[in-house]
Every structure is written in structure tokens, then in C-alpha cells.
Amino acid sequence: MTRPPHTQPADDALPPAKHHAHPPAIILVKPQLGQNIGMVARAMLNCGVTDLRIVAPRDGWPQETAYSTAAGADVVLDNATIHETTADAVKGLTYVAASTARMRGMTKPVVSPAGAAAEIIARNTGDVTTCGLLFGAERTGLENEDIVLSDAILNIPLNPHFTSLNIAQAVLLVCYQWHSYSGAMPDWRLETNEGDIAPRDKINYLVDRLEEELVRANFFKNPDMQPSVMQNLRNTFIRMNLTDQEARTMHGVISALIERR
Amino acid sequence: MTRPPHTQPADDALPPAKHHAHPPAIILVKPQLGQNIGMVARAMLNCGVTDLRIVAPRDGWPQETAYSTAAGADVVLDNATIHETTADAVKGLTYVAASTARMRGMTKPVVSPAGAAAEIIARNTGDVTTCGLLFGAERTGLENEDIVLSDAILNIPLNPHFTSLNIAQAVLLVCYQWHSYSGAMPDWRLETNEGDIAPRDKINYLVDRLEEELVRANFFKNPDMQPSVMQNLRNTFIRMNLTDQEARTMHGVISALIERR
């Protein structure tokens, strides 16, 4: 599940390239507060998810309070579609996961955000939206009649002693998981604004030169220790991942210390 | 990176058991708004992360507005420690990742929330906190003098055209990733409140009985089609993952339809 730190994945372990991944629809069933709809839109657009479907919003549509909390994600709100029923909102979809913390006496698969994201990445590969995520009203959540229309229950694993999660935070977690699976960035890379990482021979040369200077300075009181001390020093320098420029700086540091001596 | 849907991971693919995973510290450097500190505390506790360290909060400490937005996560705020400098706040830590969207002309590893979570899971296994995550002031972010104290830059991959993310949302995404890696729940499981999944022999018996009744009802106009039609039907019933109770209901449905005939 987790990739070991400090390793780049093999090409075939990478998630599918971004242009094959089509985002899911986010379906809000009977949302109560316009400000929550706005924060949902913001979280969606953060993750490149734009298909918002709203079933029977309590306070009608459009709502000014939604725009005020969307932090600029107006495009999502402008293109939101309004539906009378959940059945109408899921038309055309072939996979629907319904977010709920409570199990409902129904036999259904239960997926985490990662599980839902993997399903959506695997299924929603074409140009049309075939996957959707259902979220219920803030206070009451989804009704069983909504959940039965879904393929799976989406359960966000949280601290069992503190599960209070705003609807926009729930949408953010699931959309982010989809977005990160869709090839957003590797889990680890080395940023080198200054230039290239120094090749191993330059590091070896640096350590060889350091050893030479240390011998001249009688650093090795006991010559038997020299190989193991130098192995440790070489290991340290290689772990530093020096750039070419940083390696040159290290040469300068050695030269300066010699001069001073 | 993603696990194929509908497969349970092998035991050795599971993340480490929860009790081995020690949560990271969350370090807020010069936060401006108390309400954001409160929302950070809420997001932390959602994910079982409780060690909050605050460097030079603009409006002092404690702050009433923090408690008002913490939605009950008071325990995190009560135990927060206040520090004059970032260097003081990272004392005792051996791995620190600094959240920033901008690269800083420093050669540093860049990790995603998943990459940071994997590092923390791998490193922070004891009883004391050795890993921390740095977040800067809302408006200005972290200073270079904070970032240089870190092992890695934490970069949250978002829609490049819309990266506006509240500090509490950033904390939530990273803490959630750590929490989900710490063994919260499998990505996929089948919830069966009603009882056990019917074993394959019961499903086969159901399909065999259905076939018998279909032959009696002259369903197969062309007998050559019978094997392939039955193969499809058997596949459909097996894919349903029926519980024992649901399989009995199906038998009842068949019986009722026969009666009616």
C-alpha cells in the first residue's frame, strides 16, 4: 500500500496518466447550507473535479452564500445541475458510492476513499462521467432509499473517538485521493533548483581528496581505523545527495580549512 | 500504487498495525487567525493526531476563537505547546517536512502527503514523537529559515489552476494520509449485516434449480444456447455476492413465479 520512502516507482507501478482519468460526479442530496455547497465546490476544483449535481437543495438554487465560500470556484457552481430525485441525479452512472458513517443493514461493499478512488480510476476512463459519489444532508446524512441506489458504501476511516467531519472536508478527502491516484505527482522526488545532482565519481573524488588531506593532517592516529572511518565518511557524503555546485562548495571548504592550517 | 478493486490485500501488504504507528507533531509557524488554529485541531483529532506546537502565534495564546471552531477538539488545544522559534519547536525531532507550494532554490526532497505519511510510518515507530510537519502563516507561508530546518518539502499536488487551500484542509489531507496508512481500515470489504455470504455450493444449487425451472418453462427455444445462457446467468448470480438470507429469498422468488404460472 505504501511505497518505501526514497525510491522512485518503476514505470509500470505509476498510476494511469492523467488524461485517461475522468473525474467522478459529486452528488449532494438535500444539502441545507449554501456555504457548505460553496466549500464543496472549492474542494472539488482543488482536485480537478467539476461535475456537481445537487438534489433538492433546501434553500433553492442558485444561492449567494455558496458563491461567497467557494473562494473563486465559481465555474463549478455555475455548471451545477439541479435534480428533483437522487435517481435522476445518478442517471448515466454505472458506479456510485454513498458516503455514510453508519452501516444500514444492507449487504454492500464498503470502500475507503482510497478504495473508491481505485474503483473510479479503473472504471471512469472514457470521456463521459460514469462514476459518482453521494453525500447526504449535513444533519441527517443519506436516506436508505439513496444508499440502495449505490454500488458501495463510502466510509472515511477516522479517529473513532472524534469523527466530526464537515461535508466539504469529506468531499476534499475523497476527491484528493482520486486526484492523487490520477497521476498528480510522485510521492518522492528531489528538487534541485541549482542544477544536477553530482555524479558518483565526483563525490568519490571529493571523499578521496578529503582522505588525502586527513592523512596529511594526521587525523588517523590509529591507521587501522582509517578504512572504517573513511567508509563512514563516504557513506555520509553519498547520503547528502550533493549537487555539482554543492560539491564544488565542499571542495572550497576543504581548501579553506587547509589554508587556515 | 492503487490496489485493484475487489481484492483483499495479502497480510504482508497491509500497513503496519495501528499501535506501532506514532503520530507526527503538527507545527504551526506564526499562525494569524485563532479560528484556523481551531480548525487545524479538529482536523488533527479526526485523524488521531494530537501533538500541536505553535510558534509565535500573532494574537497570543490561548485564544477563544480557536476553541469555537475546534468542534470539540479541545484536548488538542489544551495540550498545545507554545514556542518562540521554529528551532525550539522541532527539538527532539529527527524528520521534519515543511509544507509549501513554492520551491525555494534549495536542494531538498519533495514529498507528497502520501510520501510524507510513508516516511512517518517508517520512522516514527516508538513511543515518542520524532516526526513533525511544519505549516506557515496563512498569508505568507513558511520563511526560508524555517524550511532549511526541514528534511523535505511537503507539496500537496492539486489542480494547478486552483490551488487555494485553507491551512486546516492542508493539515487534514496530510494527517488523513498518515491515519489511513496507520491501518485504519482496508480499502475494500463487504459489509453483511444480515449474516454470512452464501458459500459457492449454495449459489450453484440456486442456479441449477433455476435452470431446471427454465427448461420446464421452455425458456430455451434453441437448446444449443442453453450452455452459454446458463454460463452468463451463473456468472451474474456469483457476482451478486448473495448472503444466505438473500439466496433463500431468491429461491422464494423462483417458487412464487412458478406458482403464478
Side-chain angles (χ1 to χ4, degrees):
Chain A
M1 181 160 175
T2 67
R3 184 182 305 147
H6 296 314
T7 56
Q8 289 288 354
D11 274 356
D12 62 355
L14 282 171
K18 198 158 188 181
H19 59 278
H20 295 309
H22 191 86
I26 300 298
I27 304 159
L28 304 183
V29 181
K30 299 180 185 165
Q32 300 173 291
L33 296 174
Q35 66 190 66
N36 282 332
I37 301 174
M39 288 193 291
V40 164
R42 176 183 181 179
M44 288 171 62
L45 194 57
N46 277 152
C47 304
V49 177
T50 54
D51 183 347
L52 175 61
R53 306 176 186 193
I54 311 176
V55 179
R58 188 188 65 181
D59 299 337
W61 192 256
Q63 294 179 40
E64 209 174 301
T65 52
Y67 282 87
S68 71
T69 56
D74 295 6
V75 63
V76 175
L77 299 175
D78 290 343
N79 293 313
T81 56
I82 305 299
H83 305 264
E84 281 189 22
T85 63
T86 304
D88 187 61
V90 299
K91 268 186 188 168
L93 303 183
T94 58
Y95 179 79
V96 177
S99 174
T100 177
R102 290 172 294 139
M103 297 304 116
R104 307 301 187 105
M106 280 184 251
T107 297
K108 277 217 189 284
V110 179
V111 291
S112 69
E119 288 261 7
I120 293 166
I121 289 286
R123 290 165 178 266
N124 210 4
T125 54
D127 290 331
V128 292
T129 305
T130 60
C131 296
L133 299 163
L134 281 186
F135 295 85
E138 292 90 332
R139 190 170 289 271
T140 51
L142 290 168
E143 315 261 350
N144 277 359
E145 63 187 55
D146 301 318
I147 293 178
V148 78
L149 296 175
S150 307
D151 298 82
I153 286 171
L154 170 64
N155 186 246
I156 303 180
L158 295 173
N159 174 1
H161 306 296
F162 190 74
T163 57
S164 155
L165 196 67
N166 178 279
I167 185 174
Q169 291 171 308
V171 169
L172 177 67
L173 288 178
V174 188
C175 288
Y176 175 76
Q177 200 88 61
W178 172 81
H179 180 64
S180 71
Y181 279 14
S182 71
M185 78 175 244
D187 289 345
W188 193 94
R189 68 187 172 86
L190 188 67
E191 174 71 30
T192 57
N193 286 300
E194 286 184 6
D196 295 335
I197 294 294
R200 205 45 45 92
D201 51 293
K202 287 192 181 170
I203 303 300
N204 281 331
Y205 171 71
L206 175 68
V207 178
D208 292 346
R209 185 184 158 213
L210 179 62
E211 181 171 17
E212 208 171 279
E213 296 298 343
L214 289 174
V215 168
R216 280 189 197 148
N218 288 316
F219 177 76
F220 304 104
K221 310 293 181 203
N222 177 353
D224 291 352
M225 298 300 288
Q226 185 172 340
S228 68
V229 169
M230 284 315 301
Q231 179 171 297
N232 287 341
L233 273 174
R234 194 176 300 273
N235 194 38
T236 307
F237 274 87
I238 284 177
R239 213 168 58 217
M240 283 169 129
N241 262 329
L242 295 173
T243 62
D244 275 332
Q245 177 56 52
E246 290 166 339
R248 281 194 294 274
T249 303
M250 285 291 171
H251 276 291
V253 166
I254 293 169
S255 300
L257 294 176
I258 295 167
E259 295 268 325
R260 196 175 157 193
R261 192 179 70 210
Chain B
M1 179 159 174
T2 68
R3 184 182 306 147
H6 298 315
T7 56
Q8 289 290 351
D11 274 357
D12 61 357
L14 283 171
K18 197 158 188 180
H19 58 277
H20 294 310
H22 191 86
I26 301 297
I27 304 157
L28 304 183
V29 181
K30 300 181 185 166
Q32 300 173 290
L33 296 174
Q35 64 189 65
N36 282 333
I37 300 174
M39 290 194 289
V40 164
R42 176 186 184 177
M44 287 171 62
L45 194 56
N46 277 152
C47 304
V49 177
T50 55
D51 183 346
L52 176 61
R53 308 178 184 190
I54 310 176
V55 179
R58 188 189 65 181
D59 298 338
W61 191 256
Q63 294 180 37
E64 210 174 299
T65 52
Y67 283 87
S68 70
T69 56
D74 296 6
V75 63
V76 176
L77 299 175
D78 290 344
N79 294 313
T81 56
I82 305 298
H83 305 263
E84 280 188 24
T85 63
T86 304
D88 188 61
V90 299
K91 268 187 190 167
L93 303 184
T94 57
Y95 179 79
V96 178
S99 174
T100 176
R102 288 172 295 139
M103 298 302 116
R104 305 301 187 108
M106 279 184 249
T107 296
K108 276 219 188 283
V110 180
V111 291
S112 69
E119 288 262 6
I120 293 165
I121 289 285
R123 290 165 178 265
N124 209 5
T125 55
D127 289 333
V128 294
T129 305
T130 59
C131 296
L133 298 163
L134 281 187
F135 295 85
E138 292 90 329
R139 192 169 288 272
T140 51
L142 290 168
E143 315 262 350
N144 277 358
E145 65 188 53
D146 301 318
I147 293 179
V148 80
L149 295 175
S150 309
D151 299 82
I153 286 172
L154 170 62
N155 185 247
I156 303 180
L158 295 173
N159 174 0
H161 306 296
F162 190 74
T163 57
S164 155
L165 196 68
N166 178 279
I167 186 174
Q169 292 172 306
V171 169
L172 176 67
L173 287 178
V174 189
C175 288
Y176 175 77
Q177 199 88 62
W178 171 81
H179 180 65
S180 70
Y181 278 13
S182 70
M185 77 175 246
D187 289 345
W188 193 95
R189 69 187 172 87
L190 188 66
E191 174 70 28
T192 59
N193 286 300
E194 287 183 7
D196 296 335
I197 294 294
R200 205 47 46 93
D201 51 295
K202 286 191 181 171
I203 303 299
N204 281 331
Y205 171 71
L206 175 68
V207 178
D208 292 346
R209 187 187 156 211
L210 179 63
E211 180 170 18
E212 211 171 278
E213 297 298 344
L214 289 175
V215 167
R216 280 188 197 149
N218 287 314
F219 176 76
F220 304 106
K221 310 295 181 199
N222 177 353
D224 291 353
M225 298 300 288
Q226 184 171 340
S228 68
V229 169
M230 285 314 302
Q231 180 171 297
N232 287 342
L233 273 173
R234 193 176 303 274
N235 194 39
T236 308
F237 274 87
I238 284 176
R239 212 169 58 217
M240 282 170 129
N241 262 329
L242 294 172
T243 62
D244 276 332
Q245 177 57 51
E246 290 167 338
R248 282 195 294 275
T249 303
M250 285 291 173
H251 275 292
V253 167
I254 293 169
S255 299
L257 294 175
I258 294 168
E259 295 268 324
R260 195 176 159 193
R261 192 178 70 211

